[in-house]
Amino acid sequence: MSVASVPHGVMFHHFWDQRHPAGQGAINADDLARMLRHLGPDRILSAEAWLERAVEERLEPHHLCLTFDDALLCQYEVAAPVLADFGLTAFWFIYSSVFEGHLRKMEVYRYLRTVAYPTVDDFYDNFERALARSRYADMAAKATVDFDPGRYLAEFPFYTDADRRFRFLRDRVLGHDPFEEIMDSLVERAGLQAEELRHLLWMEDSHLRALDAHGHILGLHSYTHFTTLGEMSYDQQKREYLANRRHLMALTGHAPLAMAHPCNSYNQDTVAILEELGVKIGFRSNMERRPSSRFELPRQDHALIMAELEDR
């Protein structure tokens, strides 16, 4: 089944301009405008129209929607004005912990590798050296003896072998606390203060209210955005989505009807929880289509579309 033969979302994360650094995979306002013209604005439904048609099973094969994950300030400051110029609205999938005083270090780490190293491969080299000096070195060495980067995250063809190895170590070998221990040592060595980056990396509640007021749809993306949410217990997952829902309802006055699975990590418990919370649709993070579930709508990463444009 080709990409063009099913309705799907286009997934965005990072943007750059004079204020926000141009990290791996980030695009600027001109890139976004060029991409929207390439996709065809007439194919792109408003978030409200997509939600209505998805619930009523009236989406047509050529239909697209736009989605933005993680409540990043660069999205609001760089991408939102472009959408306004095109008269488009989008889904914005929000994880709530950063709005309530908790620091989500994954974005801090991305900022680190963007500003503290000449290239992302320089960052990976430094990460590997820090891992080799750590108490987790032997465990990591054993776990990666037979690691085949070509088979890991194969559904994301834009990842390099180094990207895949880093994500394998992060998500499947180290886990949350050991990974943060190693990364925090690199943050400290670079002289960055994580708390000082909060207002540069994420939106604030006022930005979310403005998006809602202008017809965009705010959706669930869990509370903490753990990368392996689907491995949590039913009760843990429910607490994640209840807290996420409470935050968005307090801002908008209405219950969230859409969501996206962080890092594609979910299971049948997740689906049951979302149904219980009244969520109508959910998105995956790749183009795998699961026709039987309205909580597994496909999305294409914007990096694949940029690659098409660069090949023209």
Side-chain angles (χ1 to χ4, degrees), residues 4-5 24-25 27 41 45 74 82 85 106 108 162-163 174 196-197 199 207 244 251 275 278 283 288 299 305:
S5 66
Q24 184 185 30
I27 61 175
L45 301 183
C74 62
V82 177
D85 289 343
M106 199 65 71
V108 174
D163 292 333
L174 293 171
E196 294 179 1
L197 297 175
H199 298 299
H207 300 127
N244 192 193
L251 285 175
E275 289 178 334
F283 288 89
E288 181 180 346
R299 289 193 292 173
I305 302 169

Side-chain angles (χ1 to χ4, degrees), residues 1-15 35 39 43 50 54 59 61 63-72 75 90-95 154-159 217-222 225 241 258-266 281-291 293-305 308:
M1 183 175 290
S2 70
V3 165
S5 66
V6 295
H8 61 275
V10 180
M11 179 175 62
F12 296 94
H13 284 86
H14 295 89
F15 294 82
M35 187 180 302
L39 293 172
R43 296 179 60 198
W50 176 281
L59 288 170
H63 282 150
L64 303 174
C65 67
L66 306 177
T67 73
F68 295 81
D69 288 6
D70 302 345
L72 303 174
Q75 297 169 351
F91 293 94
W92 302 73
F93 296 117
I94 311 300
Y95 63 89
E155 67 270 29
F156 299 105
F158 48 85
Y159 283 158
I217 291 180
L218 306 184
L220 302 176
H221 205 42
S222 82
H225 198 298
Y241 283 109
M259 64 84 60
H261 302 286
C263 299
N264 254 6
S265 186
Y266 64 97
I281 60 171
F283 288 89
R284 292 174 53 81
S285 299
N286 60 25
M287 285 299 294
E288 181 180 346
R289 175 68 175 173
R290 311 258 181 114
S293 174
R294 57 193 166 94
F295 295 109
E296 297 174 292
L297 299 174
R299 289 193 292 173
Q300 183 180 29
D301 195 288
H302 84 276
L304 297 174
I305 302 169
E308 290 179 8

Side-chain angles (χ1 to χ4, degrees), residues 47 68 80 83-84 88-92 210-218 254:
F68 295 81
L83 300 191
L88 296 170
T89 58
F91 293 94
W92 302 73
L211 289 171
D212 180 68
H214 285 89
H216 298 275
I217 291 180
L218 306 184
H254 49 81

Side-chain angles (χ1 to χ4, degrees), residues 229 231-241 273:
L229 197 73
E231 298 175 15
M232 290 182 174
S233 69
Y234 177 93
D235 289 341
Q236 288 173 317
Q237 289 193 55
K238 188 169 184 178
R239 284 194 293 271
E240 283 277 330
Y241 283 109
I273 291 164

Side-chain angles (χ1 to χ4, degrees), residues 270-282:
T270 320
V271 172
I273 291 164
L274 296 173
E275 289 178 334
E276 183 180 343
L277 296 182
V279 176
K280 301 298 184 184
I281 60 171

